[in-house]
Amino acid sequence: MTEEKKVVSIEDRIPKLRETRRKKANRRFIFYLTCLLVLIVFVVYLQSPLSYVREINVTGSQFVSKDVILKQSDISTERSLWSFQLENIEAKILELPEIKTAKVTRSWTHEVTVAVTEYKKIAYIDQGESLSPLLESGHTLDHVEKVDYKGDAPLLIGFDNEEIRKLMIEGMQALPTYLLSHISEIHYSPTEANPYQVHLNMIDGFELLTTIRGFSEHIKAYPSVVSQLDQANPGLIEIDHSGAIFNQFSEQPTTDPDLEIYEEGEENQLIIEEDE
């Protein structure tokens, strides 16, 4: 028994082809229309206050006010959240001499956060009647009255020479925070033999005579030197590349048998062996 094949005429197939094409055309039209509507809505959104920044947070600033940072960044609540490049804003903020790093982020809640890291304050420059806070970048802040000095950083006295001051800053930058906090004053006291000599007053009552060249290495030896001395009888410690010598202010000699005592006038001079 032979199987009869069903034959569909072209007349019967044409309506179905037309219907399929019509459905495809409709779907394509709906897709394009949806894309157009989304684009229109997005453009309207960007132009409307709905896209504006609602809140701006600034963190990490101490020396620079929030208003100064916002003015420098050109961010405001009257700008669209998407109208600026984050990298460009960060570059603008870094133009402020007090700012070391800047990171700007935004969220879908229309908040912008500006997180900055400022250069550390490492000293105050004595200007006579006032003090100028000095940052590790070498930039000085607005003058403060001496009565407002809280001893939170050493005083630099006599550092009018810009080159010498720059070398001094580099030496202080290499110091750990705990050592820097032990320094009360640094006086620039050059001699003909040593134009880089400095005289330091320490918070524990000792005085230190050293040089800007190799400053950080000399100061790092200070704790081991002081640990061998009688804290009740401070004096002047001279530290250079050859070692350390202690000149005691009082006439009372040290009782440490490891220290060799030398008489020099009314002072007791001690050659101190630095710890490795």
Side-chain angles (χ1 to χ4, degrees):
M1 181 177 181
T2 58
E3 183 178 351
E4 296 182 0
K5 296 182 178 180
K6 293 184 178 179
V7 179
V8 180
S9 65
I10 190 67
E11 290 81 3
D12 294 333
R13 294 180 59 186
I14 288 177
K16 293 182 179 180
L17 290 173
R18 289 177 177 174
E19 181 66 19
T20 301
R21 291 176 179 174
R22 187 181 64 81
K23 289 180 179 179
K24 287 183 178 180
N26 288 343
R27 285 197 296 267
R28 192 179 297 112
F29 173 76
I30 293 173
F31 173 77
Y32 290 140
L33 180 61
T34 302
C35 291
L36 180 61
L37 291 175
V38 169
L39 182 61
I40 293 174
V41 170
F42 184 68
V43 171
V44 172
Y45 162 75
L46 292 179
Q47 300 299 321
S48 72
L50 293 175
S51 69
Y52 286 3
V53 176
R54 295 175 185 172
E55 186 176 354
I56 307 172
N57 301 309
V58 178
T59 63
S61 62
Q62 178 184 358
F63 308 131
V64 188
S65 68
K66 176 181 177 180
D67 292 339
V68 170
I69 292 176
L70 293 183
K71 182 178 179 180
Q72 180 70 17
S73 67
D74 200 27
I75 302 175
S76 72
T77 54
E78 296 181 355
R79 290 190 61 179
S80 170
L81 183 68
W82 314 104
S83 64
F84 51 84
Q85 294 289 333
L86 299 182
E87 295 81 3
N88 295 340
I89 299 299
E90 292 168 353
K92 286 184 179 180
I93 296 174
L94 288 175
E95 292 176 1
L96 294 171
E98 300 89 350
I99 303 300
K100 187 175 185 178
T101 64
K103 181 66 176 178
V104 181
T105 57
R106 55 188 165 199
S107 67
W108 287 97
T109 57
H110 290 249
E111 293 183 7
V112 174
T113 300
V114 180
V116 300
T117 302
E118 297 176 325
Y119 287 103
K120 293 188 298 183
K121 179 172 57 181
I122 59 173
Y124 289 87
I125 299 178
D126 193 333
Q127 302 285 6
E129 296 182 356
S130 62
L131 303 174
S132 294
L134 176 67
L135 303 182
E136 59 181 342
S137 63
H139 178 73
T140 55
L141 304 177
D142 292 338
H143 293 187
V144 297
E145 299 297 327
K146 285 189 173 181
V147 293
D148 297 326
Y149 174 61
K150 300 179 177 60
D152 53 325
L155 289 178
L156 294 184
I157 302 173
F159 287 85
D160 299 326
N161 185 297
E162 185 175 347
E163 181 181 354
I164 294 295
R165 185 166 64 224
K166 182 179 178 180
L167 291 174
M168 188 73 256
I169 293 172
E170 292 175 356
M172 297 174 71
Q173 286 176 333
L175 285 181
T177 303
Y178 78 93
L179 277 179
L180 192 61
S181 64
H182 271 67
I183 303 173
S184 174
E185 297 178 358
I186 303 178
H187 297 256
Y188 178 50
S189 55
T191 64
E192 186 175 345
N194 184 4
Y196 298 99
Q197 181 174 276
V198 287
H199 190 130
L200 285 68
N201 293 334
M202 312 301 285
I203 62 173
D204 53 12
F206 287 91
E207 295 181 18
L208 179 60
L209 197 65
T210 187
T211 179
I212 298 176
R213 295 289 179 87
F215 178 81
S216 62
E217 296 304 319
H218 297 159
I219 301 301
K220 287 176 182 177
Y222 178 79
S224 66
V225 171
V226 173
S227 67
Q228 303 177 55
L229 301 173
D230 182 359
Q231 303 290 317
N233 293 282
L236 175 66
I237 303 172
E238 298 181 38
I239 301 181
D240 57 26
H241 64 279
S242 60
I245 297 177
F246 174 61
N247 296 297
Q248 190 168 292
F249 293 150
S250 66
E251 295 183 1
Q252 180 181 353
T254 181
T255 57
D256 191 335
D258 295 330
L259 302 181
E260 187 177 356
I261 302 176
Y262 292 83
E263 295 293 337
E264 182 176 301
E266 297 181 354
E267 297 178 334
N268 291 322
Q269 186 182 76
L270 304 93
I271 298 179
I272 304 172
E273 182 179 351
E274 299 179 28
D275 294 339
E276 294 294 334

